[in-house]
Amino acid sequence: MPKVVPFRSPRTKPTGSGTKANVETSVASAVRTLNLESEGLVQLAKELDGPLVGPFEEAMRRLVAVKGRVIVTGIGKSGHVGQKIAATFASTGTPAFFVHPSEASHGDLGMVTHSDLILALSWSGETVELKPIITYSRRFAVPLIAITSQAKSALGEQADVVLLLPRAKEACPHGLAPTTSTTMQLALGDSLAIALLEARGFTAHDFKIFHPGGSLGANLKYVSDIMHRGERLPLIKSGESMANALVTMTEKSFGCVGVVDKRGRLIGVITDGDLRRHMGANLLRAKVDEIMTAKPKTISTTMLTSAALELINASSITALFVVEKQKPVGLIHIHDLLRLGVA
């Protein structure tokens, strides 16, 4: 019976057992990686301030003009980056999706229409798997933008626009693992998506449509979406007694009461803090105007919940009245924002 030889991984065995020296070496490696990738981004920014200006502007003109979708493609690490870029385009108002180049040659080319635009990523520009989709784009006149480091490559020669990446040093000590190069690809893709967002006037309200879930969706809700209104509002008229104000505060359970004048305008707020500061034998006989904080902080119905939470935290308060033309139309409490997941 043949002897079974156990599999041994080709990975290098660790040289230590978690000593302080090893940890310090790891930290130094991490800092070196970040510095090298940062240098790549600095080089890319310089290119965008120089020879890359014309190609970037042309790429933007084509992206703005596209009537269909942005088809992003690439393989290996470039493919992973491409998937993220496609997702960023889609979430910021530009219909986009990722097509794997190998799948493209087995039927997925049918997903690409004449009104689309192809954004292809390849560091070398010689990726064999990209040939079918490049050929398809040329045959059917589908605009092709290339993100590559080689203008004279197969991809660079065929593309309508070449966004040429600088030949920055990889963070990998062997210069083999895509690190700095993929960081630059991702940054350039983000730059296209954000520039396109701004060119199209894509707003926070539009962003909310594509991000209805999670904490991001919560942050993009408007105050008007969650505020208490109508009979739920703790309001009392100017000139009323504090005894009546306390009854209203207790019934509404928001820890505050708003004071309105004869025209229904909000002129002050009384909070639990105001009660503590004025605690005494004559408190219940006092008028609300004597105890209230005049000219309180208020917000509008169109303020984002994230901005409302920031104001609440900065002001060290727990609730805010929502006003329109100085009249209270709603109220939000910090508990409402926390339950919603605003952060």
Side-chain angles (χ1 to χ4, degrees):
M1 186 173 181
K3 184 179 179 180
V4 177
V5 179
F7 172 76
R8 293 186 182 278
S9 171
R11 295 174 182 168
T12 304
K13 294 180 180 179
T15 56
S17 56
T19 64
K20 181 179 179 181
N22 290 331
V23 171
E24 289 176 350
T25 301
S26 298
V27 172
S29 173
V31 171
R32 184 172 63 252
T33 296
L34 292 174
N35 285 336
L36 285 170
E37 295 198 3
S38 297
E39 288 171 12
L41 293 178
V42 170
Q43 285 183 249
L44 180 58
K46 288 180 179 178
E47 293 293 309
L48 272 168
D49 219 7
L52 202 49
V53 170
F56 191 89
E57 290 178 343
E58 178 60 24
M60 282 300 303
R61 279 191 285 271
R62 289 176 178 269
L63 284 165
V64 170
V66 68
K67 291 181 170 56
R69 294 81 46 87
V70 174
I71 311 299
V72 186
T73 189
I75 202 162
K77 304 299 186 294
S78 294
H80 294 308
V81 172
Q83 291 180 58
K84 191 276 177 185
I85 293 173
T88 301
F89 273 122
S91 70
T92 52
T94 299
F97 60 86
F98 179 81
V99 172
H100 194 286
S102 295
E103 297 295 338
S105 62
H106 291 276
D108 280 3
L109 281 173
M111 301 166 71
V112 185
T113 72
H114 297 181
S115 60
D116 295 337
L117 177 148
I118 298 171
L119 176 64
L121 286 75
S122 171
W123 178 251
S124 68
E126 298 292 350
T127 306
V128 175
E129 291 85 352
L130 284 176
K131 184 178 178 180
I133 199 166
I134 293 173
T135 302
Y136 184 89
S137 75
R138 302 302 80 189
R139 179 182 178 187
F140 294 103
V142 180
L144 175 62
I145 298 174
I147 295 181
T148 180
S149 67
Q150 298 286 356
K152 297 300 181 181
S153 61
L155 174 61
E157 293 283 3
Q158 294 298 320
D160 298 299
V161 183
V162 177
L163 298 177
L164 197 61
L165 297 168
R167 300 288 293 181
K169 184 178 179 181
E170 297 284 14
C172 169
H174 310 299
L176 299 174
T179 45
T180 306
S181 56
T182 49
T183 298
M184 291 191 296
Q185 285 179 329
L186 180 59
L188 188 55
D190 284 344
S191 299
L192 288 169
I194 298 305
L196 191 56
L197 174 156
E198 293 173 346
R200 288 179 168 167
F202 192 78
T203 66
H205 178 73
D206 299 321
F207 204 78
K208 174 188 171 184
I209 295 172
F210 299 115
H211 298 79
S215 61
L216 184 56
N219 283 320
L220 291 171
K221 284 186 178 294
Y222 290 102
V223 165
S224 59
D225 295 329
I226 68 164
M227 69 183 188
H228 302 275
R229 59 185 80 210
E231 293 298 319
R232 287 288 294 137
L233 297 185
L235 298 173
I236 194 164
K237 293 180 180 179
S238 172
E240 292 277 353
S241 69
M242 279 302 300
N244 292 338
L246 283 172
V247 171
T248 301
M249 287 179 70
T250 303
E251 288 178 347
K252 306 299 182 180
S253 303
F254 289 115
C256 66
V257 63
V259 181
V260 295
D261 63 15
K262 293 179 180 179
R263 297 171 61 183
R265 298 175 301 185
L266 185 72
I267 60 172
V269 169
I270 299 171
T271 66
D272 291 333
D274 293 317
L275 296 181
R276 288 191 294 273
R277 284 188 290 274
H278 293 86
M279 189 63 68
N282 297 321
L283 176 61
L284 296 180
R285 290 192 293 273
K287 300 297 183 184
V288 292
D289 308 71
E290 303 170 40
I291 307 299
M292 73 180 189
T293 298
K295 298 179 180 179
K297 288 182 173 62
T298 59
I299 54 177
S300 68
T301 56
T302 56
M303 177 180 279
L304 290 175
T305 53
S306 54
L309 180 60
E310 183 178 347
L311 179 57
I312 283 176
N313 288 331
S315 306
S316 298
I317 55 180
T318 59
L320 283 167
F321 276 96
V322 185
V323 300
E324 286 183 351
K325 297 180 180 179
Q326 298 181 294
K327 295 181 180 181
V329 295
L331 179 142
I332 62 167
H333 194 278
I334 190 170
H335 291 165
D336 302 319
L337 299 170
L338 296 178
R339 277 194 296 270
L340 186 64
V342 180

